[in-house]
Amino acid sequence: MEKIWNFFENLNEFVYVSDVDTYELVYMNRHLRNALGLENHAQYQGQMCYKVLQGYDQPCSFCTNHI
C-alpha cells in the first residue's frame, strides 16, 4: 500500500482520500497539504473532510458519498 501513496505523494494535483461512511480523512498528498498549510499527515488524519477541505460543520451539499 505504501507504493500507492508514494505515487500520489509526488503528483502536482490535489489528492485526498476520505472514508465514505465516516467522512474521515485518511490521506492527503503533499501538494494539497502544502496548499492548506499542513506539515504532516497527523494534522488532518481522522478529521472530517468537509471541515478540513471546505470549512463546513456538516457534509457538503454537493457530496456524493451517499451514492
Side-chain angles (χ1 to χ4, degrees), residues 2-38:
E2 188 65 31
K3 287 183 181 182
I4 292 171
W5 294 138
N6 286 338
F7 172 78
F8 291 116
E9 191 66 14
N10 297 311
L11 282 180
N12 196 26
E13 301 289 335
F14 294 146
V15 177
Y16 74 93
V17 176
S18 64
D19 184 301
V20 295
D21 294 321
T22 66
Y23 301 95
E24 290 180 350
L25 285 166
V26 175
Y27 172 79
M28 192 180 294
N29 75 339
R30 181 179 299 130
H31 191 65
L32 183 52
R33 288 194 317 271
N34 288 343
L36 296 175
L38 303 172

Side-chain angles (χ1 to χ4, degrees), residues 42-55:
Q43 292 180 288
Y44 67 82
Q45 286 180 329
Q47 294 188 50
M48 301 300 116
C49 58
Y50 51 82
K51 182 69 172 177
V52 174
L53 300 174
Q54 300 292 332

